Amino acid sequence: TALTETLRLELNAVGAKIKVTSVSPGYVETGMTSLNRNLTAEQKAFFDGITMLKPEDIADGVVYALSTPEHVQIHELT
């Protein structure tokens, strides 16, 4: 997050028209979470007990950030 904010400030200082957004999705259902055979019973119970985001949810958030008007800056998606 600090690197992202620093980059955003540096680009803004030179007048660059580049948007910088940080995406921190949390738990996303991937092979590392739902299909990992090396998980302990405790880890499996943890993942079974929470609602994880789907990769499509993250993609939708990125598309949203990219589709905002030129004057809109999405700093962070959490």
Coordinates of all heavy atoms in Angstrom, one line a residue:
T1 N 0.8 -1.2 0.0 CA 0.0 0.0 0.0 C 0.9 1.2 0.0 O 0.6 2.2 -0.7 CB -0.9 0.0 1.2 OG1 -1.8 -1.2 1.1 CG2 -1.8 1.2 1.2
A2 N 1.9 1.2 0.8 CA 2.8 2.4 0.8 C 3.5 2.6 -0.5 O 3.6 3.8 -1.0 CB 3.9 2.2 1.9
L3 N 3.9 1.6 -1.2 CA 4.5 1.7 -2.5 C 3.5 2.3 -3.5 O 3.9 3.1 -4.4 CB 5.1 0.4 -3.0 CG 6.3 -0.1 -2.2 CD1 6.7 -1.5 -2.7 CD2 7.5 0.8 -2.5
T4 N 2.3 1.8 -3.4 CA 1.3 2.2 -4.4 C 1.0 3.7 -4.2 O 0.9 4.5 -5.1 CB 0.0 1.4 -4.2 OG1 0.3 0.0 -4.3 CG2 -1.1 1.8 -5.1
E5 N 0.9 4.1 -2.9 CA 0.6 5.5 -2.6 C 1.8 6.4 -3.1 O 1.5 7.5 -3.6 CB 0.3 5.7 -1.1 CG -0.2 7.1 -0.8 CD -1.4 7.6 -1.5 OE1 -2.2 6.7 -1.9 OE2 -1.6 8.8 -1.6
T6 N 3.0 6.0 -2.8 CA 4.1 6.7 -3.2 C 4.2 6.9 -4.8 O 4.4 8.0 -5.3 CB 5.4 6.1 -2.7 OG1 5.4 6.0 -1.3 CG2 6.7 6.8 -3.2
L7 N 3.9 5.8 -5.5 CA 3.9 5.9 -6.9 C 2.8 6.8 -7.4 O 3.0 7.7 -8.3 CB 3.6 4.5 -7.5 CG 3.5 4.4 -9.0 CD1 4.8 4.9 -9.7 CD2 3.2 3.0 -9.5
R8 N 1.6 6.8 -6.8 CA 0.5 7.7 -7.2 C 0.9 9.1 -7.0 O 0.7 10.0 -7.8 CB -0.7 7.3 -6.3 CG -1.9 8.2 -6.7 CD -3.2 8.1 -5.8 NE -3.1 7.1 -4.8 CZ -3.5 5.8 -4.9 NH1 -3.8 5.3 -6.1 NH2 -3.4 4.9 -3.9
L9 N 1.6 9.4 -5.8 CA 2.0 10.8 -5.5 C 3.1 11.3 -6.5 O 3.0 12.4 -7.0 CB 2.5 10.9 -4.1 CG 1.4 10.7 -3.0 CD1 2.1 10.7 -1.6 CD2 0.4 11.8 -3.1
E10 N 4.0 10.4 -6.8 CA 5.1 10.8 -7.8 C 4.5 11.0 -9.2 O 4.9 12.0 -9.9 CB 6.1 9.7 -7.8 CG 7.0 9.6 -6.6 CD 8.1 8.6 -6.6 OE1 8.1 7.8 -7.6 OE2 8.8 8.4 -5.6
L11 N 3.6 10.2 -9.6 CA 3.0 10.4 -10.9 C 2.2 11.6 -11.0 O 2.2 12.4 -12.0 CB 2.1 9.2 -11.3 CG 2.9 7.9 -11.6 CD1 2.0 6.7 -11.8 CD2 3.8 8.1 -12.9
N12 N 1.5 11.9 -9.9 CA 0.7 13.1 -9.8 C 1.6 14.4 -9.8 O 1.2 15.4 -10.5 CB -0.2 13.1 -8.5 CG -1.2 14.2 -8.5 OD1 -1.7 14.7 -9.6 ND2 -1.5 14.7 -7.3
A13 N 2.7 14.3 -9.2 CA 3.6 15.4 -9.1 C 4.2 15.8 -10.5 O 4.5 17.0 -10.7 CB 4.8 15.1 -8.1
V14 N 4.3 14.8 -11.4 CA 4.9 15.1 -12.7 C 3.7 15.3 -13.7 O 4.0 15.5 -14.9 CB 5.9 14.1 -13.2 CG1 7.1 14.0 -12.3 CG2 5.2 12.7 -13.3
G15 N 2.5 15.3 -13.3 CA 1.4 15.6 -14.1 C 1.0 14.4 -15.0 O 0.3 14.6 -16.0
A16 N 1.4 13.2 -14.7 CA 1.1 12.0 -15.5 C -0.4 11.7 -15.4 O -1.0 11.9 -14.3 CB 1.9 10.8 -15.1
K17 N -1.0 11.3 -16.4 CA -2.4 11.0 -16.4 C -2.6 9.5 -16.2 O -3.3 8.8 -17.0 CB -3.1 11.4 -17.7 CG -2.9 12.9 -18.0 CD -4.2 13.6 -17.6 CE -4.1 15.0 -18.0 NZ -4.6 15.9 -17.1
I18 N -1.9 8.9 -15.3 CA -1.9 7.5 -15.0 C -2.6 7.2 -13.7 O -2.2 7.8 -12.7 CB -0.5 6.9 -15.0 CG1 0.2 7.1 -16.3 CG2 -0.5 5.4 -14.6 CD1 1.7 6.8 -16.3
K19 N -3.6 6.3 -13.7 CA -4.3 6.0 -12.5 C -3.6 4.8 -11.8 O -3.1 3.9 -12.5 CB -5.7 5.5 -12.8 CG -6.6 6.6 -13.3 CD -8.0 6.1 -13.5 CE -8.9 7.1 -14.1 NZ -10.3 6.7 -14.1
V20 N -3.5 4.9 -10.5 CA -2.8 3.8 -9.7 C -3.8 3.3 -8.7 O -4.3 4.1 -7.9 CB -1.5 4.3 -9.1 CG1 -0.9 3.1 -8.2 CG2 -0.6 4.8 -10.1
T21 N -4.2 2.0 -8.7 CA -5.1 1.5 -7.7 C -4.5 0.3 -7.1 O -4.0 -0.6 -7.7 CB -6.4 1.1 -8.4 OG1 -7.0 2.3 -9.1 CG2 -7.5 0.5 -7.5
S22 N -4.7 0.2 -5.8 CA -4.3 -1.0 -5.0 C -5.5 -1.9 -4.8 O -6.6 -1.5 -4.4 CB -3.8 -0.5 -3.6 OG -3.5 -1.7 -2.8
V23 N -5.3 -3.2 -5.1 CA -6.4 -4.2 -4.9 C -5.9 -5.2 -3.8 O -4.9 -5.9 -4.0 CB -6.7 -5.0 -6.2 CG1 -7.8 -6.0 -6.0 CG2 -7.1 -4.0 -7.3
S24 N -6.7 -5.2 -2.7 CA -6.4 -6.1 -1.6 C -7.6 -6.9 -1.3 O -8.5 -6.6 -0.5 CB -6.0 -5.3 -0.4 OG -4.9 -4.4 -0.6
P25 N -7.8 -8.0 -2.0 CA -9.1 -8.7 -2.0 C -9.4 -9.6 -0.8 O -10.5 -10.0 -0.5 CB -9.0 -9.6 -3.2 CG -7.6 -9.9 -3.4 CD -6.9 -8.6 -3.0
G26 N -8.4 -9.9 0.0 CA -8.7 -10.8 1.1 C -8.7 -12.3 0.7 O -7.9 -12.7 -0.2
Y27 N -9.6 -13.0 1.2 CA -9.7 -14.5 0.9 C -10.4 -14.7 -0.4 O -11.6 -14.3 -0.6 CB -10.4 -15.3 2.0 CG -9.6 -15.3 3.2 CD1 -10.0 -14.6 4.4 CD2 -8.4 -16.0 3.3 CE1 -9.2 -14.7 5.5 CE2 -7.6 -16.0 4.4 CZ -8.0 -15.4 5.6 OH -7.3 -15.4 6.7
V28 N -9.7 -15.3 -1.4 CA -10.3 -15.6 -2.7 C -10.2 -17.1 -2.9 O -9.2 -17.7 -2.6 CB -9.5 -14.8 -3.8 CG1 -10.1 -15.2 -5.2 CG2 -9.5 -13.3 -3.6
E29 N -11.3 -17.6 -3.4 CA -11.3 -19.1 -3.6 C -10.5 -19.4 -4.8 O -10.8 -19.1 -6.0 CB -12.8 -19.5 -3.9 CG -12.9 -21.0 -4.0 CD -14.3 -21.5 -4.1 OE1 -15.2 -20.7 -3.8 OE2 -14.5 -22.6 -4.6
T30 N -9.3 -20.0 -4.6 CA -8.4 -20.5 -5.6 C -7.9 -21.9 -5.3 O -8.3 -22.4 -4.2 CB -7.2 -19.5 -5.6 OG1 -6.4 -19.7 -4.4 CG2 -7.5 -18.1 -5.8
G31 N -7.1 -22.4 -6.1 CA -6.5 -23.7 -5.8 C -5.7 -23.8 -4.6 O -5.6 -24.8 -3.9
M32 N -5.1 -22.6 -4.1 CA -4.4 -22.6 -2.9 C -5.2 -22.7 -1.7 O -4.8 -23.0 -0.6 CB -3.5 -21.3 -2.8 CG -2.4 -21.3 -3.9 SD -1.2 -19.9 -3.7 CE -2.2 -18.5 -3.2
T33 N -6.5 -22.3 -1.8 CA -7.4 -22.4 -0.7 C -8.3 -23.6 -0.7 O -8.3 -24.4 0.2 CB -8.2 -21.1 -0.6 OG1 -8.9 -20.9 -1.8 CG2 -7.4 -19.9 -0.3
S34 N -9.1 -23.7 -1.7 CA -10.1 -24.8 -1.7 C -9.6 -26.1 -2.2 O -10.2 -27.2 -1.9 CB -11.3 -24.3 -2.5 OG -11.0 -24.1 -3.9
L35 N -8.6 -26.2 -3.0 CA -8.1 -27.4 -3.6 C -6.8 -27.9 -3.0 O -6.3 -29.0 -3.4 CB -8.0 -27.3 -5.1 CG -9.2 -26.9 -5.9 CD1 -8.9 -26.7 -7.4 CD2 -10.3 -27.9 -5.7
N36 N -6.2 -27.2 -2.1 CA -4.9 -27.5 -1.6 C -5.0 -28.8 -0.7 O -5.7 -28.8 0.3 CB -4.4 -26.3 -0.8 CG -2.9 -26.5 -0.3 OD1 -2.4 -27.7 -0.3 ND2 -2.3 -25.4 0.0
R37 N -4.3 -29.8 -1.1 CA -4.3 -31.1 -0.4 C -3.4 -31.1 0.9 O -3.5 -32.0 1.7 CB -3.9 -32.2 -1.3 CG -4.9 -32.4 -2.4 CD -4.5 -33.6 -3.3 NE -5.4 -33.6 -4.4 CZ -5.3 -34.5 -5.4 NH1 -4.3 -35.4 -5.4 NH2 -6.2 -34.5 -6.4
N38 N -2.6 -30.0 1.0 CA -1.6 -30.0 2.1 C -2.2 -29.2 3.3 O -1.4 -29.0 4.2 CB -0.3 -29.3 1.6 CG 0.3 -30.2 0.6 OD1 0.4 -31.4 0.6 ND2 0.9 -29.5 -0.5
L39 N -3.4 -28.8 3.2 CA -4.0 -28.1 4.4 C -4.2 -29.0 5.6 O -4.6 -30.1 5.4 CB -5.4 -27.4 4.0 CG -5.4 -26.4 2.9 CD1 -6.8 -25.9 2.6 CD2 -4.5 -25.2 3.3
T40 N -4.0 -28.4 6.7 CA -4.3 -29.2 8.0 C -5.8 -29.2 8.2 O -6.5 -28.4 7.5 CB -3.6 -28.5 9.2 OG1 -4.2 -27.2 9.4 CG2 -2.1 -28.4 9.0
A41 N -6.3 -30.0 9.1 CA -7.7 -30.1 9.4 C -8.2 -28.7 9.9 O -9.3 -28.3 9.6 CB -8.0 -31.2 10.4
E42 N -7.3 -28.1 10.7 CA -7.7 -26.7 11.2 C -7.8 -25.7 10.1 O -8.8 -24.9 10.1 CB -6.6 -26.3 12.2 CG -7.0 -25.0 12.9 CD -5.9 -24.6 13.9 OE1 -5.9 -25.1 15.0 OE2 -5.0 -23.8 13.5
Q43 N -6.9 -25.8 9.1 CA -7.0 -24.8 8.0 C -8.2 -25.1 7.1 O -8.9 -24.2 6.7 CB -5.7 -24.9 7.2 CG -4.5 -24.4 7.8 CD -3.2 -24.8 7.1 OE1 -3.1 -25.8 6.6 NE2 -2.2 -23.8 7.1
K44 N -8.5 -26.4 6.9 CA -9.7 -26.7 6.1 C -11.0 -26.2 6.8 O -11.9 -25.7 6.2 CB -9.8 -28.2 5.9 CG -8.8 -28.8 4.9 CD -8.9 -30.3 4.8 CE -7.8 -30.8 3.9 NZ -7.8 -32.3 3.8
A45 N -11.0 -26.4 8.1 CA -12.2 -25.9 8.9 C -12.3 -24.4 8.8 O -13.4 -23.9 8.7 CB -12.1 -26.4 10.3
F46 N -11.2 -23.7 8.8 CA -11.2 -22.3 8.7 C -11.8 -21.9 7.4 O -12.7 -21.0 7.3 CB -9.8 -21.7 8.9 CG -9.7 -20.2 8.6 CD1 -10.1 -19.3 9.5 CD2 -9.2 -19.8 7.4 CE1 -10.1 -18.0 9.3 CE2 -9.1 -18.4 7.1 CZ -9.6 -17.5 8.1
F47 N -11.3 -22.4 6.3 CA -11.7 -22.1 4.9 C -13.2 -22.5 4.7 O -13.9 -21.8 4.0 CB -10.8 -22.7 3.8 CG -9.5 -22.0 3.7 CD1 -8.3 -22.7 3.8 CD2 -9.4 -20.6 3.5 CE1 -7.1 -22.0 3.7 CE2 -8.2 -19.9 3.4 CZ -7.0 -20.7 3.5
D48 N -13.6 -23.6 5.3 CA -15.0 -24.0 5.2 C -16.0 -23.1 5.9 O -17.1 -23.0 5.6 CB -15.2 -25.4 5.7 CG -14.6 -26.5 4.7 OD1 -14.3 -26.1 3.5 OD2 -14.3 -27.6 5.2
G49 N -15.4 -22.4 6.9 CA -16.3 -21.5 7.8 C -16.4 -20.1 7.3 O -17.1 -19.3 7.9
I50 N -15.8 -19.7 6.2 CA -15.9 -18.4 5.7 C -16.4 -18.3 4.3 O -16.3 -19.3 3.6 CB -14.5 -17.6 5.8 CG1 -13.5 -18.3 4.9 CG2 -14.1 -17.5 7.2 CD1 -12.2 -17.5 4.8
T51 N -17.0 -17.2 3.9 CA -17.4 -17.0 2.5 C -16.3 -16.4 1.8 O -15.9 -15.2 2.1 CB -18.7 -16.2 2.5 OG1 -19.7 -16.8 3.2 CG2 -19.1 -16.0 1.0
M52 N -15.7 -17.0 0.9 CA -14.6 -16.5 0.1 C -15.1 -15.8 -1.2 O -16.1 -16.2 -1.7 CB -13.6 -17.6 -0.3 CG -12.8 -18.1 0.9 SD -11.5 -19.2 0.4 CE -12.3 -20.7 0.5
L53 N -14.3 -14.8 -1.6 CA -14.6 -14.2 -2.9 C -14.3 -15.1 -4.0 O -13.4 -16.0 -3.9 CB -13.8 -12.9 -3.0 CG -14.1 -11.8 -2.0 CD1 -13.1 -10.7 -2.1 CD2 -15.5 -11.2 -2.3
K54 N -14.9 -15.0 -5.1 CA -14.6 -15.7 -6.4 C -13.7 -14.8 -7.2 O -13.7 -13.6 -7.1 CB -15.9 -15.9 -7.2 CG -17.0 -16.7 -6.4 CD -16.7 -18.1 -6.3 CE -17.9 -18.8 -5.7 NZ -17.5 -20.1 -5.1
P55 N -12.8 -15.5 -8.0 CA -11.9 -14.7 -8.9 C -12.7 -13.7 -9.7 O -12.2 -12.6 -10.0 CB -11.2 -15.8 -9.7 CG -11.3 -17.0 -8.8 CD -12.6 -16.9 -8.1
E56 N -13.9 -14.0 -10.1 CA -14.7 -13.1 -11.0 C -15.1 -11.9 -10.2 O -15.2 -10.8 -10.8 CB -16.0 -13.8 -11.4 CG -15.8 -15.0 -12.3 CD -15.5 -16.3 -11.5 OE1 -15.7 -16.4 -10.3 OE2 -15.0 -17.3 -12.2
D57 N -15.2 -12.0 -8.9 CA -15.5 -10.8 -8.1 C -14.4 -9.8 -8.1 O -14.6 -8.6 -8.2 CB -15.8 -11.2 -6.6 CG -16.9 -12.1 -6.4 OD1 -17.9 -12.1 -7.2 OD2 -16.9 -12.9 -5.5
I58 N -13.2 -10.3 -8.1 CA -12.0 -9.4 -8.1 C -11.9 -8.8 -9.5 O -11.6 -7.6 -9.7 CB -10.7 -10.2 -7.8 CG1 -10.9 -11.0 -6.5 CG2 -9.5 -9.3 -7.8 CD1 -11.4 -10.2 -5.3
A59 N -12.1 -9.6 -10.5 CA -12.1 -9.1 -11.9 C -13.1 -8.0 -12.1 O -12.8 -7.0 -12.7 CB -12.3 -10.2 -12.9
D60 N -14.3 -8.2 -11.6 CA -15.3 -7.1 -11.7 C -14.9 -5.8 -11.0 O -15.1 -4.7 -11.5 CB -16.6 -7.6 -11.1 CG -17.3 -8.7 -11.9 OD1 -17.0 -8.9 -13.1 OD2 -18.2 -9.4 -11.3
G61 N -14.2 -6.0 -9.9 CA -13.7 -4.8 -9.2 C -12.7 -4.0 -10.0 O -12.6 -2.8 -10.0
V62 N -11.8 -4.8 -10.6 CA -10.7 -4.2 -11.4 C -11.3 -3.5 -12.6 O -11.0 -2.4 -13.0 CB -9.7 -5.2 -11.8 CG1 -8.7 -4.7 -12.9 CG2 -8.9 -5.8 -10.6
V63 N -12.3 -4.2 -13.3 CA -13.0 -3.6 -14.4 C -13.7 -2.3 -14.0 O -13.6 -1.2 -14.7 CB -14.0 -4.5 -15.1 CG1 -14.9 -3.8 -16.1 CG2 -13.3 -5.7 -15.7
Y64 N -14.3 -2.3 -12.8 CA -14.9 -1.1 -12.3 C -13.9 0.1 -12.2 O -14.1 1.2 -12.6 CB -15.6 -1.3 -11.0 CG -16.0 -0.1 -10.3 CD1 -17.1 0.7 -10.7 CD2 -15.3 0.4 -9.2 CE1 -17.5 1.9 -10.1 CE2 -15.7 1.6 -8.5 CZ -16.8 2.3 -9.0 OH -17.1 3.5 -8.4
A65 N -12.8 -0.2 -11.5 CA -11.8 0.8 -11.3 C -11.2 1.4 -12.6 O -11.0 2.6 -12.8 CB -10.6 0.3 -10.5
L66 N -11.1 0.5 -13.6 CA -10.6 0.9 -14.9 C -11.6 1.7 -15.7 O -11.3 2.5 -16.6 CB -10.1 -0.3 -15.7 CG -8.9 -1.0 -15.2 CD1 -8.6 -2.3 -16.0 CD2 -7.7 -0.1 -15.3
S67 N -12.9 1.5 -15.4 CA -14.0 2.1 -16.2 C -14.4 3.4 -15.7 O -15.3 4.0 -16.3 CB -15.2 1.1 -16.3 OG -15.8 0.9 -15.1
T68 N -13.8 3.9 -14.6 CA -14.3 5.2 -14.0 C -13.8 6.3 -15.0 O -12.9 6.2 -15.7 CB -13.7 5.4 -12.6 OG1 -12.3 5.3 -12.7 CG2 -14.2 4.4 -11.7
P69 N -14.5 7.4 -14.9 CA -14.1 8.6 -15.7 C -12.7 9.1 -15.4 O -12.2 8.8 -14.3 CB -15.2 9.7 -15.3 CG -16.3 8.9 -14.7 CD -15.7 7.7 -14.1
E70 N -12.2 9.8 -16.3 CA -10.8 10.3 -16.2 C -10.5 11.1 -14.9 O -9.5 11.0 -14.3 CB -10.5 11.2 -17.4 CG -9.0 11.6 -17.4 CD -8.7 12.4 -18.7 OE1 -9.1 11.9 -19.8 OE2 -8.1 13.5 -18.6
H71 N -11.5 11.8 -14.4 CA -11.3 12.6 -13.2 C -11.6 11.8 -11.9 O -11.5 12.4 -10.8 CB -12.3 13.8 -13.2 CG -13.7 13.5 -13.2 ND1 -14.4 13.1 -14.3 CD2 -14.6 13.5 -12.2 CE1 -15.6 12.8 -14.0 NE2 -15.8 13.1 -12.7
V72 N -11.9 10.6 -12.0 CA -12.1 9.7 -10.8 C -11.0 8.8 -10.6 O -10.5 8.2 -11.5 CB -13.4 8.9 -11.0 CG1 -13.6 7.9 -9.8 CG2 -14.6 9.8 -11.2
Q73 N -10.5 8.8 -9.3 CA -9.4 7.9 -8.9 C -9.8 7.0 -7.8 O -10.2 7.5 -6.7 CB -8.2 8.8 -8.5 CG -7.0 8.0 -7.9 CD -6.3 7.1 -8.9 OE1 -5.9 7.6 -9.9 NE2 -6.1 5.9 -8.5
I74 N -9.8 5.7 -8.1 CA -10.1 4.7 -7.0 C -8.7 4.4 -6.4 O -7.9 3.8 -7.0 CB -10.7 3.4 -7.6 CG1 -12.0 3.8 -8.4 CG2 -11.0 2.4 -6.5 CD1 -13.1 4.3 -7.6
H75 N -8.5 4.8 -5.2 CA -7.2 4.6 -4.5 C -7.0 3.1 -4.1 O -5.9 2.6 -4.2 CB -7.1 5.5 -3.3 CG -6.8 6.9 -3.7 ND1 -5.7 7.6 -3.2 CD2 -7.5 7.8 -4.4 CE1 -5.7 8.8 -3.7 NE2 -6.8 9.0 -4.5
E76 N -8.1 2.5 -3.6 CA -7.9 1.2 -3.0 C -9.2 0.4 -3.1 O -10.3 1.0 -2.8 CB -7.4 1.2 -1.6 CG -7.2 -0.1 -1.0 CD -6.6 0.0 0.4 OE1 -6.5 1.1 1.0 OE2 -6.2 -1.0 1.0
L77 N -9.2 -0.8 -3.5 CA -10.3 -1.7 -3.4 C -9.9 -2.8 -2.4 O -8.9 -3.5 -2.5 CB -10.5 -2.4 -4.8 CG -11.1 -1.5 -5.9 CD1 -11.2 -2.3 -7.2 CD2 -12.4 -1.0 -5.5
T78 N -10.7 -2.9 -1.3 CA -10.5 -3.8 -0.3 C -11.6 -4.8 -0.1 O -12.7 -4.4 -0.2 CB -10.3 -3.1 1.1 OG1 -9.3 -2.1 0.9 CG2 -9.8 -4.1 2.2

